[in-house]
Amino acid sequence: MFVVVAGFAASVGLVMLSWLRGAVVRAVAVAALVAALAGPAAYTVDTVLAAHTGAIPSAGPAVAGGNGGPGGGPGGFGGPPNGNGGFAGGPPPGAFAGGGFPGGPGAFAGGGFPDGPGGNGTVGGLLDASRPGSTLVSLLQSNASAYTWVAATVGANSAAGYQLAADQPCMAIGGFNGSDSWPTLAEFESLVQQHRIHYFIAGGGPGGVTSSTSSSIRSWVAAHFSATSVDGVTVYDLTATPSA
């Protein structure tokens, strides 16, 4: 409100500048300078003082009725492309009020996706990195030097959280949001047979966005390896003997 009032006053003063003299002109100049700098200054101070998390943090103070950013806003996007180059209208079930992508039933406001009841770890989503619990971090760090990747999971944000927590390389299947076709299922199977990947961590990637390649890898892992829950996250040991 202060910026609006100062800006309006300065604008009126500038319009009437030819009729003004002396101290009034200087006051108009000061008001114009303050109005021009007050907004960026407020955003800078708020951004420096406020903690930000997630892949796309928003800067500046919260504004009532604003879209996203600190303090929330309208609901999430209306889902995947509808085939006509756009997104289907209306917030889908599971969307949350921060302007973020929906996480499906049970999703939470950080953009992550819960994976199993009662755990203290979370897998990541499109807009937030995973936050693994201490037991899972210790598991990933165990004998880490023997593997090219201590774990593989769908999506870059999910993999990033595990990699940062364990300080060991993790494979992001499907690239940034899990929709790319790397690695292929055949390539992934070959890496597993070479014992280059220790664990597969289920979840990751925003619901409905992952590619058929990522989905086929998930299905193949689930069909050939036993699942274990660690800190509430489903983990598969890819070095175990696979089932037929």
Side-chain angles (χ1 to χ4, degrees), residues 28-209:
V28 170
V30 170
L33 183 62
V34 170
L37 298 180
Y43 269 67
T44 300
V45 172
D46 182 86
T47 303
V48 170
L49 296 180
H52 294 81
T53 60
I56 308 179
S58 299
V63 178
N67 289 318
F77 287 95
N82 59 14
N84 297 316
F87 284 83
F96 46 84
F101 283 86
F108 50 87
F113 295 78
D115 190 358
N120 59 5
T122 60
V123 298
L126 179 60
L127 300 181
D128 202 12
S130 52
R131 295 180 292 277
S134 57
T135 303
L136 179 54
V137 171
S138 297
L139 187 70
L140 297 179
Q141 292 173 335
S142 176
N143 199 27
S145 61
Y147 305 95
T148 305
W149 297 276
V150 296
T153 190
V154 176
N157 272 323
S158 183
Y162 299 121
Q163 179 161 315
L164 290 171
D167 196 25
Q168 298 294 335
C170 294
M171 175 187 290
I173 297 172
F176 178 68
N177 64 0
S179 62
D180 294 337
S181 56
W182 187 91
T184 64
L185 177 57
E187 290 170 332
F188 187 81
E189 289 184 35
S190 177
L191 292 171
V192 171
Q193 291 168 0
Q194 297 170 40
H195 282 203
R196 294 181 62 187
I197 310 171
H198 197 173
Y199 297 103
F200 178 83
I201 303 176
V209 179

